[in-house]
Amino acid sequence: MTQPNINADRLNRTLQELGQIGDSPLGMQRIAFSPEDIAGRDYTINLMRNAGLETRIDPAGNIIGRREGSVPGLPAIALGSHTDTVPSGGKYDGALGVLAGVECAQSLADAGQSLRHPLEVVVFTNEEGTRFHRWLIGSRAMAGQLMDEDLSAVDDEGVTLATRMADIGGDLSRVAESARSPGELAAYFELHIEQGPELYQSGVPIGVVTGITGRGMFEVEFKGMSNHAGTTPMPARRDALVSASRLVLEVQRIAADSEVCRVATAGAIHAHPNAVNVIPGHVRVGVEFRDLEISALDDAESELRRAANAIASNDGISVEIHRQRHTQGVPVAPGMQALVEEAARLSGFPAQRVPSGAGHDAQAIAAITDMAMIFVPSVDGISHSPEEYSSPQDCANGAQVLMNLLLLADRR
Ligand code: HGY
Ligand code: MN
Ligand code: MN
């Protein structure tokens, strides 16, 4: 059987075209549910249709392009990722996996080759979680894992998830219908940029993902007292931003010095009233910890609580720690890793096993079917930045391995 090859030029053209949608001098701004995100979704739906896929949007806003297989009644093999980006993000995170999935469908159509299994290509809603501070919305919905706190979420502009979902063609009142029953999917494969330095440093073109990290998210709220910056004596101040700053350094210490968990980040801060001549009375700090082991995340949480309470009592202000969405780390089954290695060998590329420090839709979909991930190198390991870059050759390599992985799985 001819192994249809993907069309590298076409893939890289679609990557550049999608990369124009929502681009800005500060990087990609396709924040989930935004007009830019919707434009990117529309572009992708059009590509899916050109590739011979029947498209639908499920109640969780997931875009599903589907082509039936030659053997009736078989479960589908799904390829996918996300097209939403972080603020000032890059052109490859998520986009590569979606466009490579479409490219596989297009190449099969061009070769007049059908698969035994139905093929689905999926764009998952709000993978990044920038909106609502809760990620993997679409993939958790497909896995039947959305919780009441997700469904009742309101974003920073006061808009509900129900409204945002309707904006993209979803219907939160029917979100339970997005959940796929066991046996509907035979496997899920996701091509993604590594977003870290390992493959780029080792010069190996293909990564066989061994596991996807867990993540614990918190918002730490310090309440002091706003006051006049010019007239309030230093000893009389209850400066919430000074206390928050001490916490930011403690968060770094938890991972960098004590190595309680693999990484720790205080990535967001909101100081109120955020005026240079007012002592900040109210500060919220967004904190996240990551590790494959849930026990490490629990230990990091204990450390965070200890540090925050010690700082607050020392500084004479109050503190509240809000525990937000936690995500379990997920290993990739050895048999699925072996299948990716075989696909890389068939494609003629050396491959290296590598863990994922980033989260992915695959870790949610792992709850309902076998999954595997393929990585390609990120130049200098940079991601979630306008500097994010993967070469056209590396992108094409990954798509070819994805195609061969799909063909291998289809014959199983
Ligand atoms: O944040 C992450 O790990 C992923 O890029 N959503
Ligand atoms: Mn991603
Ligand atoms: Mn990302």
Side-chain angles (χ1 to χ4, degrees):
M1 176 190 296
T2 56
Q3 297 275 84
N5 288 326
I6 58 101
N7 180 319
D9 291 341
R10 179 170 56 201
L11 171 68
N12 282 293
R13 176 173 52 74
T14 57
L15 268 170
Q16 292 319 312
E17 285 171 357
L18 182 54
Q20 301 308 314
I21 301 173
D23 196 9
S24 81
L26 298 177
M28 297 306 295
Q29 308 295 352
R30 281 203 310 268
I31 311 306
F33 307 103
S34 67
E36 295 80 3
D37 180 34
I38 292 169
R41 291 165 56 92
D42 290 346
Y43 170 81
T44 307
I45 287 170
N46 190 42
L47 279 190
M48 286 182 172
R49 289 178 177 158
N50 294 343
L53 297 169
E54 290 292 317
T55 61
R56 69 183 175 95
I57 296 178
D58 80 359
N62 298 313
I63 302 168
I64 299 170
R66 182 179 168 101
R67 199 181 77 174
E68 294 311 317
S70 58
V71 176
L74 286 185
I77 298 175
L79 313 176
S81 196
H82 60 96
T83 53
D84 67 299
T85 71
V86 293
S88 299
K91 296 185 179 350
Y92 301 86
D93 176 0
L96 176 60
V98 168
L99 296 177
V102 174
E103 175 53 34
C104 287
Q106 184 68 63
S107 299
L108 287 165
D110 293 350
Q113 185 166 337
S114 62
L115 298 176
R116 297 172 60 246
H117 295 76
L119 170 64
E120 290 192 358
V121 181
V122 184
V123 177
F124 288 108
T125 304
N126 194 14
E127 186 275 345
E128 296 290 0
T130 306
R131 187 90 67 185
F132 300 107
H133 309 296
R134 43 194 73 239
W135 65 349
L136 310 181
I137 291 285
S139 46
R140 286 193 290 126
M142 188 174 282
Q145 293 178 337
L146 282 188
M147 302 184 297
D148 290 347
E149 62 181 55
D150 296 308
L151 302 180
S152 57
V154 178
D155 68 18
D156 291 347
E157 292 154 41
V159 179
T160 64
L161 179 60
T163 302
R164 296 294 187 189
M165 209 47 104
D167 290 347
I168 63 170
D171 176 357
L172 203 58
S173 67
R174 292 188 301 113
V175 76
E177 295 168 29
S178 296
R180 306 303 284 269
S181 50
E184 261 196 82
L185 292 179
Y188 170 72
F189 303 133
E190 183 166 354
L191 168 64
H192 206 286
I193 55 172
E194 181 198 339
Q195 300 182 288
E198 293 207 30
L199 293 175
Y200 185 68
Q201 283 173 353
S202 65
V204 174
I206 296 293
V208 178
V209 177
T210 56
I212 305 171
T213 188
R215 180 198 200 195
M217 280 175 67
F218 302 85
E219 181 169 86
V220 183
E221 191 175 12
F222 286 101
K223 287 182 182 164
M225 193 171 111
S226 293
N227 211 329
H228 196 296
T231 57
T232 311
M234 294 309 284
R237 294 179 177 213
R238 291 167 59 211
D239 186 332
L241 188 48
V242 168
S243 301
S245 307
R246 293 191 222 279
L247 184 83
V248 169
L249 294 175
E250 283 297 304
V251 165
Q252 190 202 30
R253 184 190 59 73
I254 288 170
D257 303 346
S258 314
E259 297 182 343
V260 172
C261 60
R262 195 174 51 78
V263 287
T265 312
I269 193 159
H270 300 272
H272 178 79
N274 206 33
V276 69
N277 59 350
V278 180
I279 299 167
H282 182 215
V283 176
R284 293 182 288 122
V285 187
V287 175
E288 64 144 71
F289 301 113
R290 300 208 188 186
D291 200 291
L292 253 173
E293 302 306 326
I294 194 78
S295 57
L297 296 181
D298 291 343
D299 295 346
E301 176 172 359
S302 311
E303 274 298 294
L304 176 74
R305 291 184 182 282
R306 188 198 53 71
N309 288 319
I311 289 166
S313 69
N314 178 61
D315 295 353
I317 69 171
S318 70
V319 68
E320 252 192 283
I321 297 156
H322 306 286
R323 193 178 196 272
Q324 295 178 329
R325 167 135 206 81
H326 273 47
T327 310
Q328 185 98 2
V330 176
V332 178
M336 296 301 277
Q337 293 183 45
L339 207 57
V340 175
E341 280 172 337
E342 192 180 344
R345 192 179 48 72
L346 278 174
S347 311
F349 301 121
Q352 169 187 329
R353 295 193 174 200
V354 61
S356 176
H360 299 287
D361 290 308
Q363 73 192 103
I365 300 300
I368 55 170
T369 189
D370 288 335
M371 63 88 176
M373 286 195 75
I374 307 163
F375 274 173
V376 294
S378 295
V379 171
D380 293 330
I382 297 170
S383 181
H384 280 190
S385 154
E387 310 306 312
E388 179 182 285
Y389 180 71
S390 292
S391 71
Q393 187 58 61
D394 282 336
C395 292
N397 295 349
Q400 189 57 55
V401 175
L402 183 68
M403 169 66 97
N404 285 331
L405 181 60
L406 171 62
L407 294 170
L408 280 173
D410 185 48
R411 293 179 202 135
R412 296 287 163 105

